[in-house]
Amino acid sequence: MKYLLFCCLFIGLFSTGQGQPARVKLDVKSDCIVNHEEKRYELKAGDTWDVVLEGMPCYGEVFRVNFHDYYFFLCPGECLEIVLKENKRVEVKDDGSLCAERNLFLHEMAGFQQEFYYAKAVPELVSESVRDLTLDGVCDTLHARLERYLGMHPGEAKDFGKVIRTELKYYRMYEACGARGGRRTFYEFPGEVLQQLAEVIPDSKDKRVICSPTYWKVLKVYTDYLRVEDPRRLLGPGRQMYENEVRLAKYYAAKEIRERLVYENFLDVLYWVKPYERESVEKCIRRLPSRYAEFIRKNLDKQDVSRAKRKWVMPGCVVELSGEDVNGEEVRLSSFRGFWIFLDVWATWCGPCNSEIPYLKKMEEKLRGKNIVFVSLSVDKTADREKWKNLLREKKMEGVQLRWNGRAKGVHEMLGITGIPHFAIVDPEGVLRWNNLPFVSSGLIYRILREVGDK
């Protein structure tokens, strides 16, 4: 009986230890902006910022301080103190603890990776010896440094060692496959590269990999591929946009990874959630941890308040639009009756509009031959007509290219537009079926069009 009580007490203490919170304290010597877990903090010199981390067996945290990312690793019960110096640099306070030593080691590794980045991007900023670095050479050096550190601290191998080996594996992969910059929706990775990226799925069985920031970057890249291709057919009809963002997470094993992915997927589409879609979203986020679900609800509530006076154009109305083509001839949307119409309202001066053009071209290419007409309606002013034509040639834009030749306010009121690019889908009878859709780069529009285009 005493043995049983001892075992229960030991297990209880062990479980309590695993659940102990970790802390990160930032001593602010200079005004700064800090981003952590989708939240932004504006801190003043003299402030002390305290972050409590809890609920995980280990913590891999990324803090963006003054637009520069810093990665730290903590175990339950640890406290890490970092200082933002007057020169805007973040330093780990060396208090002699294992936590401080570990994160000083990470800081050293990050500096070496940064040198390699500069050697490729701006070689004039680094010494000649660094310019000859190769990815293989950098990864070999990082692995050697890690093994030397673990040799000095064998107790670190279980969690920290596992996470950093994962980090180095995906760092090599991320740098080699050209996944940097923007979403990879519609990107056709070579078979060998795609096979490598797919390793995020079996690796997701171990929830500790969530502590590797580069694992997470590669997971997001591969998720963009899964959203479009869905090789295991886990997703439902394209019209079930929000439900599919939950189903997409089923590709991954650990509950913690699935929850975080659903959370981040919803953060990506919050802007496009209409008030009348709140019920659908609520059903999707209800089973998320409260810290995730409440953050989403809070942002949607704030969004609803800011849009309280907005006039929503609901699906179901007939759309009557027209514009001039590059030859100055008027073209009416009604001339495409019998086809599904994908409508893109944009302008040459709009940065996000231009960023979506490569994705739009890829989507058109993948849907070629289906019963769909792609109509891009520019709201550029008459004085900018030549600028519009030049950009069409420069970007080699296909589909039906029109310019709205009335006041921009007219088309804005017709579709309830408050910002561009604005995407909508009109059915073969001229009825608006989907309005104010997420960006093409998300892949969500593609799934809808792929299905309706066969009708």
Side-chain angles (χ1 to χ4, degrees), residues 361 364 368 374 376 392 395-401:
K361 291 173 66 175
E364 289 182 44
R368 191 165 288 138
F374 292 86
S376 293
L392 297 183
K395 300 285 187 181
K396 298 180 181 179
M397 294 175 68
E398 300 180 356
V400 178
Q401 299 296 329

Side-chain angles (χ1 to χ4, degrees), residues 327-373:
N327 298 315
E329 299 292 328
E330 183 182 26
V331 178
R332 292 184 174 277
L333 221 58
S334 58
S335 64
F336 303 111
R337 291 286 166 82
F339 293 91
W340 285 89
I341 299 171
F342 173 69
L343 182 62
D344 165 24
V345 182
W346 71 294
T348 59
W349 44 261
C350 166
C353 300
N354 281 273
S355 297
E356 288 295 295
I357 290 174
Y359 301 102
L360 177 58
K361 291 173 66 175
K362 275 287 187 182
M363 186 172 74
E364 289 182 44
E365 182 183 320
K366 288 181 75 71
L367 294 170
R368 191 165 288 138
K370 290 187 178 286
N371 190 41
I372 303 168
V373 174

Side-chain angles (χ1 to χ4, degrees), residues 257-398:
I257 291 175
R258 295 197 303 269
E259 289 173 343
R260 178 175 165 185
L261 181 61
V262 171
Y263 167 66
E264 293 195 4
N265 286 349
F266 272 88
L267 291 182
D268 288 343
V269 298
L270 281 188
Y271 174 80
W272 293 278
V273 175
K274 279 74 77 176
Y276 54 85
E277 295 176 324
R278 286 289 300 267
E279 186 177 347
S280 297
V281 173
E282 181 58 36
K283 289 178 181 177
C284 294
I285 66 172
R286 193 170 291 155
R287 283 180 280 183
L288 287 177
S290 58
R291 69 183 186 280
Y292 288 158
E294 289 306 316
F295 186 77
I296 292 172
R297 291 187 188 109
K298 182 179 178 180
N299 279 273
L300 285 174
D301 289 343
K302 188 185 300 183
Q303 187 168 279
D304 286 349
V305 170
S306 68
R307 297 173 171 180
K309 296 181 180 179
R310 175 175 174 178
K311 179 184 175 183
W312 294 96
V313 175
M314 303 283 286
C317 61
V318 175
V319 179
E320 290 291 351
L321 287 172
S322 65
E324 66 166 359
D325 64 15
V326 292
N327 298 315
E329 299 292 328
E330 183 182 26
V331 178
R332 292 184 174 277
L333 221 58
S334 58
S335 64
F336 303 111
R337 291 286 166 82
F339 293 91
W340 285 89
I341 299 171
F342 173 69
L343 182 62
D344 165 24
V345 182
W346 71 294
T348 59
W349 44 261
C350 166
C353 300
N354 281 273
S355 297
E356 288 295 295
I357 290 174
Y359 301 102
L360 177 58
K361 291 173 66 175
K362 275 287 187 182
M363 186 172 74
E364 289 182 44
E365 182 183 320
K366 288 181 75 71
L367 294 170
R368 191 165 288 138
K370 290 187 178 286
N371 190 41
I372 303 168
V373 174
F374 292 86
V375 178
S376 293
L377 182 66
S378 165
V379 291
D380 282 282
K381 297 177 180 179
T382 302
D384 293 326
R385 181 188 284 130
E386 290 306 311
K387 181 181 177 182
W388 166 63
K389 291 181 182 179
N390 289 336
L391 188 65
L392 297 183
R393 285 190 291 267
E394 178 189 331
K395 300 285 187 181
K396 298 180 181 179
M397 294 175 68
E398 300 180 356

Side-chain angles (χ1 to χ4, degrees), residues 121-258:
V122 279
E124 61 273 15
L125 293 183
V126 298
S127 63
E128 289 188 20
S129 61
V130 177
R131 292 175 198 170
D132 294 330
L133 286 172
T134 64
L135 179 59
D136 285 342
V138 169
C139 290
D140 289 346
T141 299
L142 292 172
H143 273 288
R145 291 182 180 182
L146 175 62
E147 295 309 317
R148 186 163 58 249
Y149 174 85
L150 295 177
M152 296 168 60
H153 306 284
E156 293 273 82
K158 180 185 175 185
D159 292 327
F160 180 66
K162 165 64 181 178
V163 170
I164 302 305
R165 287 190 180 105
T166 300
E167 172 68 14
L168 295 181
K169 170 184 175 179
Y170 285 94
Y171 169 73
R172 181 193 292 267
M173 192 184 300
Y174 191 67
E175 293 292 330
C177 74
R180 278 186 177 273
R183 303 191 73 144
R184 309 309 289 179
T185 315
F186 310 125
Y187 191 87
E188 295 179 358
F189 290 105
E192 181 182 345
V193 172
L194 194 60
Q195 190 174 5
Q196 290 179 340
L197 298 177
E199 291 180 30
V200 295
I201 291 181
D203 283 345
S204 71
K205 294 175 183 177
D206 188 334
K207 64 183 178 182
R208 291 174 297 180
V209 299
I210 203 172
C211 296
S212 162
T214 309
Y215 169 83
W216 198 255
K217 289 177 184 177
V218 175
L219 180 144
K220 295 284 279 189
V221 167
Y222 193 66
T223 299
D224 277 346
Y225 161 79
L226 293 175
R227 186 180 285 108
V228 169
E229 300 299 337
D230 187 23
R232 288 174 53 194
R233 300 294 179 261
L234 296 182
L235 307 186
R239 65 179 180 275
Q240 297 177 354
M241 289 189 298
Y242 306 122
E243 295 90 337
N244 281 337
E245 292 304 288
V246 177
R247 294 171 183 141
L248 195 59
K250 292 180 180 179
Y251 274 96
Y252 303 99
K255 178 184 177 184
E256 291 80 2
I257 291 175
R258 295 197 303 269

Side-chain angles (χ1 to χ4, degrees), residues 35-60:
N35 295 84
H36 178 243
E37 290 191 342
E38 309 298 334
K39 297 179 183 177
R40 172 189 167 102
Y41 306 86
E42 295 186 12
L43 305 176
K44 300 295 183 182
D47 288 348
T48 299
W49 188 56
D50 195 356
V51 182
V52 179
L53 310 167
E54 53 189 337
M56 290 290 288
C58 51
Y59 306 93

